[in-house]
Amino acid sequence: MINFINFLSNLAMPLIILLIVIYGVIEKKEVFDKFIEGAKDGIKIVINIFPTLIGLFLAVGTLRSSGVIDIAIKLIEPLLNIVHFPTEIMPLALLRPISGSSSIAVATDIMKTFGVDSQIGIMAAVIMGATETTLYTIAVYSSSVKIKKTRFVLIAALTADLVGIITSIIVCRFLS
Amino acid sequence: MLNLVWPIFIIISFSYAIFSGNLQNLNSSIFDSVESAVNLSITMLGTMCLWSGIIHVATNTNIMKIMNRLLKPIIRFLFPEIKENIKAQNEISMNMIANILGLGNAATPLGLKAMETLQKENKNKQELSNSMIMLIVINTASIQIIPTTIIAIRSSLGAQNPTSIIVPVWIATICAAIVGITVTKLLIRYSNKREKI
């Protein structure tokens, strides 16, 4: 089972690339020209996010090295132990719904501190992949049509996030 | 948001480190942090360019049309109130496709366009309609075939197998999406009932 999951994970990206290239060739598109055009957009995305990353990596890195994160974790540790929630993940779970770039910084910090291939490191990665910046999305979508009464959207979206985080933790525990 | 959070982080961590005499650690972590931001960005540059390029090839073929057709029954199930509104259905479909392919930058404008179309049908302009709530919930569920950013982070940190998290991410995303959709559907039913009373 675990082998199969690994196999499928490794197959996903190459298979999708292969299918898209073959499909492009069948439809007689200039596949390489289109690839280059698209790749240029990739540069823009990274350049746009770079200054944000510098700022947030600094903030999160110094929070960790100064010992502030450890103190915060110690404070809520008894609570988390009751529900068997891994304390190391808590900073990520708290920041993830609020800000995309700060959660990248926190997730990277967790992976670096505990090891990228450790159970905690993999959990951080899966949580990052499986959840979104929920509060930010709700704010942008609601304010774009000038709506203030959001009814139950917050409950529904945050429940989904919580399930995403819990499932990530369970799957990672199962895999390692 | 970050204008508030960032200074708080900096002030708390710097002053705590200075008062607890942890200066050496603080200094080295300042340079470590900016260095790892650079490392991540360089690795990300590769992954992002590769993926953006491949997806750009896909968007120039009929793959989008095929995906659009496959998504239609799902959209009809999720948004029963806009059965007649083909324009809204198409915009929602494009938004979902952009999300699935990992084109975050393209997904948001498409989603906002769909919000605008839904607002025209909205009976109470001050409140989110049921369809709008469903659209937002789907967008917060982060349904993505290849989580490129996280793969880039893993490979910049030297993971043995950066892509090994793909299937676990799928499992977690699907569970989150199913629960999100179910909760939304139940709450819609509950609020409809309450309105009738």
Side-chain angles (χ1 to χ4, degrees), chain B residues 38-82:
Chain B
V38 173
N39 283 343
L40 172 60
S41 302
I42 289 172
T43 321
M44 210 154 76
L45 201 56
T47 320
M48 284 297 166
C49 287
L50 168 67
W51 195 245
S52 307
I54 290 295
I55 295 304
H56 194 69
V57 176
T59 52
N60 277 286
T61 64
N62 283 323
I63 293 175
M64 307 298 262
K65 272 185 204 153
I66 296 170
M67 286 180 78
N68 192 7
R69 214 174 300 145
L70 292 175
L71 279 176
K72 272 289 152 66
I74 300 173
I75 288 174
R76 253 175 254 138
F77 165 74
L78 293 176
F79 302 91
E81 285 161 17
I82 53 161

Side-chain angles (χ1 to χ4, degrees), chain A residues 154-169:
Chain A
L154 192 65
I155 304 171
L158 285 182
T159 312
D161 267 355
L162 189 66
V163 171
I165 292 175
I166 293 171
T167 322
S168 305
I169 292 172

Side-chain angles (χ1 to χ4, degrees), chain A residues 105-165:
Chain A
V106 173
T108 312
D109 172 72
I110 292 174
M111 286 182 232
K112 233 168 70 178
T113 311
F114 299 95
V116 64
D117 285 318
S118 69
Q119 198 185 50
I120 295 292
I122 294 173
M123 271 180 200
V126 175
I127 290 175
M128 270 305 284
T131 54
E132 251 298 330
T133 47
T134 304
L135 296 181
Y136 175 79
T137 310
I138 294 176
V140 170
Y141 275 66
S142 306
S143 65
S144 79
V145 285
K146 299 189 181 62
I147 285 180
K148 289 212 176 73
K149 282 189 188 159
T150 56
R151 295 167 71 202
F152 47 81
V153 71
L154 192 65
I155 304 171
L158 285 182
T159 312
D161 267 355
L162 189 66
V163 171
I165 292 175

Side-chain angles (χ1 to χ4, degrees), chain B residues 8-38:
Chain B
I8 293 177
F9 281 1
I10 296 286
I11 292 166
I12 291 178
S13 58
F14 278 54
S15 44
Y16 182 77
I18 291 169
F19 284 119
S20 64
N22 210 349
L23 275 179
Q24 210 163 8
N25 261 339
L26 179 67
N27 270 315
S28 66
S29 82
I30 290 174
F31 296 106
D32 269 1
S33 307
V34 288
E35 193 190 308
S36 56
V38 173

Side-chain angles (χ1 to χ4, degrees), chain A residues 9-10 23 27 29 34-35 37-39 50 55 57 62 65-66 71 112 116-117 125 129 132 141 145 149 151 160, chain B residues 6 13 16 29 33 36 41 49 52-53 56 60-62 66 128 130 139-140 142 154 160-161 163-164 167 176:
Chain A
S9 287
N10 292 335
Y23 208 85
E27 286 196 359
K29 297 278 159 33
K34 294 296 170 202
F35 175 79
E37 265 174 41
F50 179 67
F57 271 60
T62 51
S65 74
S66 63
I71 295 174
K112 233 168 70 178
V116 64
D117 285 318
E132 251 298 330
Y141 275 66
V145 285
K149 282 189 188 159
R151 295 167 71 202
Chain B
W6 195 73
S13 58
Y16 182 77
S29 82
S33 307
S36 56
S41 302
C49 287
S52 307
H56 194 69
N60 277 286
T61 64
N62 283 323
I66 296 170
L128 290 177
N130 294 337
N139 269 282
T140 60
S142 161
R154 278 174 58 74
Q160 274 181 356
N161 189 349
T163 56
S164 68
V167 173

Side-chain angles (χ1 to χ4, degrees), chain B residues 120-137:
Chain B
K120 275 178 203 149
E121 281 204 357
N122 193 0
K123 285 178 196 119
N124 182 350
K125 305 275 182 221
Q126 310 294 318
E127 261 185 26
L128 290 177
S129 68
N130 294 337
S131 306
M132 289 170 159
I133 292 181
M134 188 56 90
L135 178 65
I136 294 176
V137 169

